[in-house]
Each structure stands twice: as structure tokens, then as C-alpha cells.
Amino acid sequence: MDIQSLPKAVLHDHLDGGLRVATILELADEYGYTGLPAGDEDALTDWFDQGRSGSLERYLKAFEHTVAVMCTEAAIQRVGYEAGIDLAADGVVYAEIRFGPSLHMIHGLSREAAIEAVLDGLAVAQRETGIVLCGIAAALRHDTDSEEVVRAAIPYLDRGLVAFDLAGPEAGFPADDHLAACQLARDAGLGLTIHAGEADSAASIWRAVARCGATRIGHGVQIAGETNFNGQTITELAPLARRIRDHRIPLEVAITSNLNTSAFPSAPEHPFGALYRSGFNVSINTDNRLMSGITLTDEYELAAATFGLGPDDLSAITVNALEAGFGDWPTRRRLIDDVVRPAYARAESSQAETSDNT
């Protein structure tokens, strides 16, 4: 099964976590940023590899350098454009890219200018490749400007910005500190996804869903703690886990990122396979392609190899992602019916023929 050539969808991909290393070096040189920890592409690629970070907090420190070079509208637009081009080259047909508008205010930009620059870059990549690209504006849990982020985002609902997100460290920064921002986003018609259950307990997921009204959860893998998960299978569900499963609340799972931050010790011990087979609404995501040194194809291949997933499973997971998306529904439905299901059906048929011939 050639996963790279199959159509894929990603719901959880951070713009400032997916820059090309060559672009970082060029932008640093262009804008005079001297804080990079290495000056050549190989060494800087190795430095950005956060596979050994061991915690979410250390993993997040690498973003200081990517944000530092995204310091003008032209730079941000370039990064948005290249993200779309790279994802399209990887066989991605639908992507929601999230970014923090406030992070670029340290360079003197307004939130609105940063949002426009990202959306402009995504729009050019979409025209050139045919990939469907949407933006998600994110605020950070440990900051106090989430309402301002939502207000800046609302005017761009018809320009490709589809949702609001809360990101950043979970521990000590509960999502319901931002209830007003979440309510404002929902009232305006923005989708609401919240990072929860990544590094903190399942109680974080409860706050995101029950208190804030999130309809999607970023990561959410700690929901396994609300089940009888023996490392391979799930046999019992506590009330919160039943609610997440039965209400079909999408979990934006990023296996490699979870391993990088030591949420789980190894891929076979990750609950993704058990969650999928127990009926949870899971999708496969990159989180941060640069910091984790991955592509979405890599994540699909890891999930397939680790949990024994075939083309029919990957098709179902990709459909889950498209159905959970916040973008235009007729477009997503077209991708499901005309692109995803036929491609995976052909892959399943080809795999069956190969098996019969051997």
C-alpha cells in the first residue's frame, strides 16, 4: 500500500511548527535574526528534532525560533504558502492549519495583519495545487488575550478562517479560564477545538467539552485513562469516555508528537489503535511537522504498521477527519465521495489481489 499517494486529511497542524529549515535560515538572514541555535541546514534540522524533548514544556520552546523569523507579513505569507505546497506534495487533500495571531505582535504586526498574511499564503497554495486549506486562529491558555484573538478572527470567516483554538501548556491553565472567548467564538459561528488531554488528565477534556463547548479536541489521548485500557485493548468506559465516544466528539490524535512529549513510552503502548477499534472518532495528525520530523504520510504509515490498519481502516479514519472538519461541507463531501473512498477502495482491491497472487 503506497500511503504517500493516497489522499489524506489533517485537522491538527501548527503553522509555526512546520516551517522548512531552509526557509528559517533564509528568513533569519533576511531579517537579521541572530538567535538560531545552529547556522547550517543539517545542524539546525537536528536541533529542531524534539524527539528527545521528554515533555510538552520543553517541546514548545523550539517555537521561539520559528516565531522569531515569521516577523513580517511577507514572511508569514511565505510560510503559509509553503505549508500548503508541502502538504499537497504529501498527498493531503484537506488541511486545517492553526496559528497564533498574537505571537506576531512582538514584531509590531496587528493580529488582523497576521491573519490576513496566513490566509493569503494558504489561498495561493490552494489555487496552485487544488488542496483545500483552512485556517484556525489560536490563543494560548497562559495568556489573557483570547477574546481579542476571537474578535480579530471573526471578520475572516468568509476568507478561509474556520475555527478558534486554545493551545499551549495545559497544567495549571484550565480551558474554562477562557469561557468568554469560547462563547464569543461559538456565537460568531467559528468552530471550536481545544487542546486537551494531551499532557494533562482527562479532566482537561471534560472542561473543554462540558464547560467550554468544544466540538473537537486537540489530542485527547488521555481519555484512555477513563477506560480499562490494558495497553492494547479497551474493555470498559467511564461516563466521560462514553460521552466522548457516543457523541462522536472528534479527537485530533498526533502519535509521534505524543511520543516526543513522553505522553506514552512507545508507539505500541499508544492508545490510538484501541480508541479507533472501540469506536472513538479519531483522526491522524502531524501536530508539528518540523519539531517531530515527520510528514502526514509518516503518521499514517506509523499508525498502519503499529496497529495493523489496512486501506479500509485508513479510509474510515480519513473520512472521520473530513466529516469533523470545519470547512465548507459540500467541498468536504465531494472529497469523501469522489476522492477518498474511491482511492482507498482501489488500494484495498490491489492489496487483496496481491495477497491472492502470493
Side-chain angles (χ1 to χ4, degrees):
M1 178 171 51
D2 179 13
I3 291 178
Q4 199 282 329
S5 66
L6 288 170
K8 295 172 286 291
V10 61
L11 301 178
H12 195 122
D13 186 272
H14 288 268
L15 184 64
D16 53 359
L19 280 73
R20 299 174 183 174
V21 173
T23 295
I24 296 172
L25 289 166
E26 289 175 18
L27 292 177
D29 182 62
E30 182 176 353
Y31 297 116
Y33 177 63
T34 59
L36 291 179
D40 68 84
E41 191 167 341
D42 289 341
L44 192 57
T45 299
D46 183 66
W47 186 90
F48 270 114
D49 182 356
Q50 294 297 304
R52 301 176 297 277
S53 65
S55 75
L56 178 60
E57 288 73 21
R58 284 195 291 274
Y59 184 90
L60 293 175
K61 287 184 178 179
F63 289 83
E64 296 173 8
H65 301 294
T66 55
V67 171
V69 300
M70 296 169 67
C71 56
T72 67
E73 291 168 80
I76 296 169
Q77 182 175 346
R78 173 180 174 177
V79 171
Y81 167 77
E82 290 180 351
I85 295 295
D86 292 345
L87 288 166
D90 192 35
V92 179
V93 295
Y94 179 89
E96 294 182 3
I97 310 296
R98 60 192 68 195
F99 60 98
S102 297
L103 294 174
H104 306 290
M105 296 182 74
I106 61 173
H107 303 298
L109 296 176
S110 67
R111 294 184 184 90
E112 291 81 1
I115 292 170
E116 287 195 29
V118 172
L119 297 179
D120 286 347
L122 296 180
V124 175
Q126 179 165 312
R127 287 196 297 271
E128 289 187 7
T129 66
I131 186 176
V132 178
L133 295 165
C134 303
I136 297 177
L140 297 176
R141 289 168 171 267
H142 55 288
D143 287 342
T144 59
D145 66 345
S146 53
E147 291 178 67
E148 287 82 357
V149 172
V150 175
R151 290 192 180 94
I154 289 171
Y156 297 93
L157 263 169
D158 294 327
R159 292 264 315 269
L161 196 141
V162 295
F164 171 65
D165 172 38
L166 282 174
E170 286 182 79
F173 303 100
D176 46 347
D177 282 353
H178 303 273
L179 275 175
C182 295
Q183 182 67 53
L184 186 63
R186 297 200 313 271
D187 288 348
L190 286 165
L192 180 60
T193 177
I194 295 178
H195 282 64
E198 177 185 10
D200 205 356
S201 71
S204 176
I205 300 173
W206 178 85
R207 288 177 179 273
V209 173
R211 296 279 291 150
C212 298
T215 57
R216 252 173 40 196
I217 296 296
H219 297 281
V221 287
Q222 299 303 335
I223 197 65
E226 295 292 297
T227 73
N228 184 2
F229 174 54
N230 65 8
Q232 304 231 330
T233 60
I234 288 172
T235 55
E236 297 176 17
L237 280 69
L240 175 61
R242 285 201 304 273
R243 177 178 181 179
I244 298 300
R245 183 196 64 182
D246 296 347
H247 292 195
R248 309 299 298 142
I249 295 173
L251 304 177
E252 307 158 357
V253 182
I255 300 169
T256 297
S257 175
N258 295 157
L259 301 180
N260 293 162
T261 59
S262 297
F264 299 94
S266 69
E269 296 168 274
H270 193 283
F272 178 86
L275 291 170
Y276 166 66
R277 292 198 164 95
S278 296
F280 286 82
N281 187 355
V282 294
S283 57
I284 298 172
N285 298 276
T286 48
D287 199 14
N288 301 291
R289 287 171 287 118
L290 172 61
M291 285 70 173
S292 290
I294 55 160
T295 64
L296 190 57
T297 291
D298 293 332
E299 287 296 278
Y300 269 61
E301 289 176 343
L302 174 63
T306 304
F307 306 113
L309 306 179
D312 55 339
D313 298 304
L314 296 180
S315 176
I317 291 166
T318 305
V319 170
N320 281 351
L322 284 162
E323 290 181 338
F326 292 128
D328 176 69
W329 169 240
T331 299
R332 291 184 286 123
R333 184 173 181 176
R334 175 185 60 79
L335 289 172
I336 291 169
D337 293 342
D338 298 345
V339 179
V340 171
R341 283 184 169 138
Y344 283 92
R346 289 192 295 271
E348 178 71 22
S349 176
S350 176
Q351 189 173 79
E353 289 179 10
T354 301
S355 178
D356 289 343
N357 291 335
T358 57

